[in-house]
Amino acid sequence: MVKHTATSVVTIERFIIEQERMFPDATGELSGILYDMALVGKMIANKVRSAGLADILGATSDTNVQGEVQQKLDVIANEIVVKAFDHGGRLCAMASEEEEDIIHIPEGFRPGKYVLLFDPLDGSSNIDVNVPVGTIFSVFRKITRGSHGEMEDLLQPGRRQVAAGYILYGSSTMMVYTTGQGAHGFTLDPSIGEFLLSHPNIRIPAQARYLSVNDAYEQDWPEPTRALMRRYRGLDGERKALNVRYVGSLVADFHRNLLGGGVFCYPANNKSPNGKLRLLYEANPLAFIAEQAGGAACDGYGSILDVQPTELHQRTPLYLGSKDEVDLVSEFPLPKF
Ligand code: AHG
Ligand code: MN
Ligand code: MN
Ligand code: MN
């Protein structure tokens, strides 16, 4: 009698189908979006991992709507996402960090009932120094009448997301996503080109180990923020210090805190009263994941997921990770900038 010891192999496709079966009236369109995002992850992983060999490192001569010099891989990753989704009939509009305006579905293709917002390559400044980068995505159901997507479909509070996730191009390529039934992690097996379930039902450790923050802005933080960082660092005698880990790729820094326990902070400062990170395709999707894993996310005044967006590329202060650490923010009330 063979004693089976290997764990059951669950591909992301099989997992998506099993989740879909929990909803008898599901049409399979959201599942299709998640499959396609896994495909996008494999395609961008290929580009990222060979970037040092092909002439795709470094910057273009263009600047994006953020005022950032676009890296060649920013543009390549953006194209991969748009081309993967513009004809699939599942989306009626998209929005990208790398494009100023709403991305409409080309004439002749059937628009679908979802919208996709994404950061095609997060952590671009790290590409040339081989530090992990990622892709972040957020999905909403269309709420306006008519077949084509409108700005109102994209400017929904994060609480209404129907799916969100990221792909991390790290020591391994991982995809983490949620549809509101927990947060689940899949690791790419490059030998077969499949994402396999490796982290089912992720729970962020309540006991934080890490603090991720860029100290360069300390002199521009208001006093309550400085006091909060002193608390996290154990400098005010109230608690043990957290280990500071910061690589400058939000996805990589968040993933470490999600699995190891900790808090990622990108506070508002006197020069940037809304911080740097973008609400729609960085803060919202990671906040959804964090909450689904038992964590939290706030902007210093309230939950990220309750913010009513007013423009595509609006920025937000962000505190994201283990719930107790994020809740601590409210003990250091911030001034209105
Ligand atoms: P992106 O590369 O998509 O523009 O995002 C960069 C972001 C985020 O990944 C990271 O946490 C943050 O920029 C780092 O900012 P600082 O260099 O100001 O710390
Ligand atoms: Mn950027
Ligand atoms: Mn980013
Ligand atoms: Mn980016």
Side-chain angles (χ1 to χ4, degrees):
M1 167 73 162
V2 174
K3 190 173 172 341
H4 293 286
T5 53
T7 52
S8 61
V9 173
V10 179
T11 63
I12 194 166
E13 286 78 8
R14 191 174 124 201
F15 190 89
I16 292 169
I17 285 279
E18 283 169 5
Q19 288 238 314
E20 183 191 310
R21 286 198 186 120
M22 291 155 64
F23 302 90
D25 57 353
T27 60
E29 288 192 43
L30 184 56
S31 296
I33 291 171
L34 293 168
Y35 292 149
D36 289 348
M37 194 46 83
L39 174 64
V40 160
K42 294 178 205 174
M43 294 166 77
I44 295 177
N46 260 346
K47 292 292 181 191
V48 166
R49 299 200 182 290
S50 57
L53 303 171
D55 177 22
I56 52 176
L57 284 178
T60 67
S61 53
D62 300 318
T63 303
N64 64 13
V65 64
Q66 324 287 338
E68 302 164 343
V69 173
Q70 283 183 315
Q71 300 300 308
K72 289 176 189 168
L73 268 176
D74 277 328
V75 175
I76 291 168
N78 187 64
E79 269 310 289
I80 288 172
V81 181
V82 172
K83 291 285 167 271
F85 282 100
D86 66 359
H87 60 284
R90 295 164 180 138
L91 302 181
C92 58
M94 291 183 255
S96 166
E97 178 205 351
E98 302 304 334
E99 301 207 24
E100 180 158 8
D101 296 319
I102 185 171
I103 303 165
H104 288 291
I105 301 308
E107 284 305 313
F109 291 120
R110 178 178 57 83
K113 63 184 185 196
Y114 293 99
V115 295
L116 173 73
L117 301 100
F118 60 95
D119 177 354
L121 205 73
D122 172 68
S124 306
S125 61
N126 282 318
I127 295 163
D128 292 6
V129 292
N130 201 15
V131 167
V133 293
T135 299
I136 313 173
F137 66 94
S138 169
V139 185
F140 291 91
R141 193 169 283 108
K142 177 178 180 21
I143 52 174
T144 58
R145 304 169 65 77
S147 59
H148 286 283
E150 296 172 31
M151 193 56 83
E152 195 186 341
D153 296 311
L154 295 163
L155 298 180
Q156 298 186 51
R159 199 127 340 254
R160 287 209 216 122
Q161 292 174 98
V162 292
Y166 58 86
I167 298 113
L168 175 59
Y169 312 105
S171 44
S172 62
T173 301
M174 272 194 76
M175 178 161 161
V176 175
Y177 83 85
T178 183
T179 55
Q181 278 71 42
H184 311 284
F186 303 80
T187 299
L188 181 66
D189 177 341
S191 66
I192 56 174
E194 286 284 359
F195 276 108
L196 304 180
L197 181 63
S198 53
H199 297 69
N201 255 318
I202 296 171
R203 304 303 294 166
I204 191 167
Q207 182 63 43
R209 284 176 61 199
Y210 301 112
L211 165 64
S212 298
V213 70
N214 183 347
D215 286 319
Y217 304 105
E218 174 127 22
Q219 75 279 10
D220 297 325
W221 290 335
E223 182 44 37
T225 302
R226 286 196 213 137
L228 173 66
M229 295 304 149
R230 283 197 297 273
R231 174 68 60 86
Y232 285 142
R233 285 195 166 73
L235 296 177
D236 63 0
E238 294 290 327
R239 56 177 288 174
K240 216 164 72 65
L242 294 175
N243 297 289
V244 178
R245 295 281 188 281
Y246 191 82
V247 290
S249 287
L250 170 61
V251 175
D253 283 320
F254 172 62
H255 189 71
R256 181 196 313 105
N257 290 315
L258 179 70
L259 297 190
V263 60
F264 173 95
C265 306
Y266 205 110
N269 67 59
N270 299 325
K271 289 186 188 144
S272 310
N274 292 315
K276 169 184 181 181
L277 299 173
R278 282 57 57 114
L279 174 65
L280 294 187
Y281 40 79
E282 290 176 315
N284 267 343
L286 300 187
F288 189 15
I289 295 264
E291 288 202 2
Q292 285 290 308
C298 80
D299 60 4
Y301 306 100
S303 166
I304 287 284
L305 295 179
D306 294 334
V307 175
Q308 173 55 56
T310 52
E311 50 187 76
L312 280 186
H313 303 290
Q314 74 184 70
R315 297 173 190 263
T316 176
L318 180 59
Y319 299 83
L320 172 69
S322 296
K323 187 167 178 350
D324 293 351
E325 305 309 326
V326 174
D327 289 353
L328 190 61
V329 177
S330 57
E331 291 182 29
F332 298 81
L334 289 171
K336 276 286 180 198
F337 284 84

